[in-house]
Amino acid sequence: YIGFAVTAPFKKVAAQAISSPREAVNTLVRTAHGWMGSNSDVEGAKAVFQALRAREITVLGDGGVADALREAAGRDVALRFVRRDNAETVTGTAIYTWPASIGMPPTLRFVDARIAVIAYGSAARQIAQQIKNRGGVPIFLGPKWFVAQARRQRQLWEQGI
């Protein structure tokens, strides 16, 4: 193999396994010196930020994609992270990062909020319905994220890191 795509919940574990300076990686590339890790989710995050056109964004979750969001935001986008145990009423623009399989925190509500759903397929539809049920407006950006990060992943595999 020339590389691997790493998905949740293994992004942080993979980074630790290869002693990466990154907290999480989603791309492993075989080199002459062993495995190198990268986080092509940064490209996905950039694509989502571009689509949202917001300067302040609430991030619902602080898991495997949080590092990519932080890196992509740089100084251009202010991020506020909400963990499951302190979910609250969210207003403005947000990005939903929790997996559909764990469900939405019971205390989470939306008021005048548009929420980027970065999942895709049936998981995205399930999350979107929960967002609507709690007063938010879902924005389906999972495919945009996926395509941007996949292009970067392929580039890394073809050219090396």
Side-chain angles (χ1 to χ4, degrees):
Y1 297 98
I2 59 170
F4 292 97
V6 180
T7 62
F10 304 109
K11 294 175 183 184
K12 290 183 178 189
V13 174
Q16 291 170 352
I18 64 166
S19 300
S20 174
R22 293 179 178 273
E23 188 173 326
V25 298
N26 75 334
T27 306
L28 295 175
V29 179
R30 185 191 307 256
T31 70
H33 307 291
W35 291 100
M36 296 293 294
S38 186
N39 194 343
S40 66
D41 278 337
V42 172
E43 295 305 314
K46 287 177 182 177
V48 167
F49 290 154
Q50 185 177 26
L52 291 173
R53 296 182 180 166
R55 303 278 298 162
E56 296 179 358
I57 297 175
T58 299
V59 178
L60 303 171
D62 198 4
V65 301
D67 286 338
L69 290 165
R70 285 183 183 97
E71 186 175 333
R75 294 186 181 125
D76 298 330
V77 180
L79 301 177
R80 181 177 68 92
F81 289 84
V82 174
R83 296 172 50 100
R84 291 185 61 76
D85 57 357
N86 68 348
E88 56 193 37
T89 299
V90 173
T91 61
T93 302
I95 299 173
Y96 191 96
T97 71
W98 294 307
S101 60
I102 63 169
M104 201 173 278
T107 56
L108 184 61
R109 299 286 180 268
F110 303 107
V111 175
D112 295 324
R114 58 190 190 119
I115 315 300
V117 178
I118 59 172
Y120 41 89
S122 64
R125 290 187 297 276
Q126 179 184 345
I127 292 167
Q129 187 58 55
Q130 291 177 21
I131 289 169
K132 287 179 189 177
N133 292 346
R134 295 185 189 208
V137 176
I139 303 168
F140 291 93
L141 294 177
K144 185 175 286 293
W145 178 298
F146 181 77
V147 168
Q149 74 80 31
R151 283 184 178 144
R152 178 65 179 140
Q153 249 177 358
R154 183 176 176 137
Q155 186 179 53
L156 290 167
W157 291 328
E158 289 175 346
Q159 299 172 359
I161 291 182

